[in-house]
Amino acid sequence: MSRRTARWARLLAVTVAAAALQATPAQAAVTPPDGVITWGASAYSIGESAGDRGYRMVVHTSVGGRDARIRLSNAFGQQPVTFDSVYAGLQRKDADLVRGSNRRLTFDGSSSVTVEPGDTVYSDPLPGTLAAGSNLVVSVHTPDAAGPVTGHSMALQTSYATRGDHTAEESGAHWTETIGSWFYLDAVSVRTAPATGAVVTLGDSITDGWQSTTDRNRRWPDYLARRLQKAHTTVKGVANEGISGNKVLADGAGPSALNRLERDVLSQPGVRTVFLFEGVNDLKAHSGVTAADLISGYREIVDRAHDAGKCVVVSTVAPFKGWPEWDTAAEAVRQEVNDFVRSHGDEFDAVSDFDRVLRSPYDHERMLPVFDGGDHIHPNDKGMQAMADSVDLNSLDCAHR
């Protein structure tokens, strides 16, 4: 039996069972635009939508460029969603925009667009430049949305909502409802120098940023983005595709890493490298996942990314002793997986060891207290920065053939 066949056999039982938890909608083929992703957030079903609602969403760019385009997603909707007014500007303060910055976005020349269930759509390029580290504000209005809404619930960024269409207004006077999620918007890209690329961080709540400071962009991918802007590297874009509670093998908190790889990672423009840091939720769920299962999942992601011409950096699983679901059985699997990652670096393009960065020197099963966000599994701001600082930037600029 070949290694690939064996991997599929080991994964079959897990993935078939996972399908019962949350059906993954068909991923419509959408050709990504020229350019590089500068911001991203994994989409999943986050509740019920409502008509005549406006959402003014704040997102923080990584790489700068021109001709910005946004991607709207109805991947988890059950009926078409119409956006009859979409604008993009720069944040001045709260829901107020920089004067003169708010401009209408079009879709194939039209001011409105209808996105079918399971689909995504890109806007036309918005002329002008968008600087790295900008707070871009995308305002959308949906006149008759209903049913499940596609978005990202744990934004750790204050955005705003309203009734009626106030998307064209630069004043925040009508945007009085604060929200902590992004609705429908799942990517922003820009055109840059031809050699510029991006890294996508594929992960769970640690990558999503839980326990980092809200509105301060202190998730570890944010710290990584700031490092890349100052470095002599052609990888400049960073897209954070973390989902709180996400697993490698089983659907649940969003589709599994295996099931969302195409939409969240490989379909994004300008992606050169995938940074895989995920697995702790598979272990602590006590669902019977073995080290062999998780390693098979890693290998499948690596194979698919390599087939798409992307490089892959894999990280060890971080310590979580003290979290209520920790036990010696899960810890044994974590150690076995980490030993594999460290000793089989030749299967990946690079290895990053977040376990060694975060663990206590006195108890390798536990996070160093100075990095602990308080729940023994999620790092605080200092821990997030330490993770980003440990990444070898040259490893993100590899060339996979």
Side-chain angles (χ1 to χ4, degrees), residues 127-247:
T129 59
L130 181 63
S134 297
N135 275 357
L136 179 70
V137 181
V138 177
S139 304
V140 305
H141 179 254
T142 57
D144 54 4
V149 62
T150 297
H152 188 94
S153 62
M154 196 180 79
L156 295 176
Q157 173 67 60
T158 302
S159 292
Y160 306 88
T162 189
R163 292 286 179 183
D165 182 7
H166 301 282
T167 54
E169 299 170 7
E170 292 180 335
S171 167
H174 287 102
W175 299 89
T176 55
E177 180 184 344
T178 58
I179 55 176
S181 302
W182 293 303
F183 292 82
Y184 303 109
L185 178 69
D186 77 340
V188 179
S189 61
V190 293
R191 287 178 177 160
T192 62
T196 305
V199 56
V200 175
T201 58
L202 180 61
D204 48 40
S205 57
I206 300 177
T207 296
D208 212 4
W210 184 241
Q211 296 292 2
S212 66
T213 304
T214 299
D215 291 332
R216 298 299 297 272
N217 301 303
R218 290 180 177 175
R219 314 163 191 87
W220 76 262
D222 297 321
Y223 284 110
L224 180 63
R226 289 189 280 272
R227 284 189 66 203
L228 287 169
Q229 292 311 307
K230 300 175 182 178
H232 296 291
T233 175
T234 57
V235 173
K236 296 293 184 183
V238 178
N240 185 337
E241 302 292 342
I243 298 178
S244 180
N246 199 233
K247 299 182 180 72

Side-chain angles (χ1 to χ4, degrees), residues 272 309 311 349 397-401:
R272 187 171 304 163
C311 298
D349 296 287
D397 204 7
C398 62
H400 182 75
R401 297 292 185 266

Side-chain angles (χ1 to χ4, degrees), residues 276-300:
L276 175 61
F277 173 47
E278 191 157 357
V280 69
N281 290 313
D282 298 75
L283 304 183
K284 68 183 182 63
H286 304 300
S287 59
V289 169
T290 65
D293 294 330
L294 197 52
I295 290 165
S296 293
Y298 286 177
R299 282 173 162 160
E300 187 61 32

Side-chain angles (χ1 to χ4, degrees), residues 277-280 283 294 298 315-320 334 337-338 355:
F277 173 47
E278 191 157 357
V280 69
L283 304 183
L294 197 52
Y298 286 177
S315 174
T316 51
V317 181
F320 67 105
R334 186 182 77 91
V337 169
N338 286 353
D355 172 45

Side-chain angles (χ1 to χ4, degrees), residues 60-74:
H60 194 69
T61 64
S62 55
V63 60
R66 66 188 189 282
D67 299 338
R69 303 176 75 167
I70 71 167
R71 191 171 82 168
L72 297 175
S73 177
N74 190 26

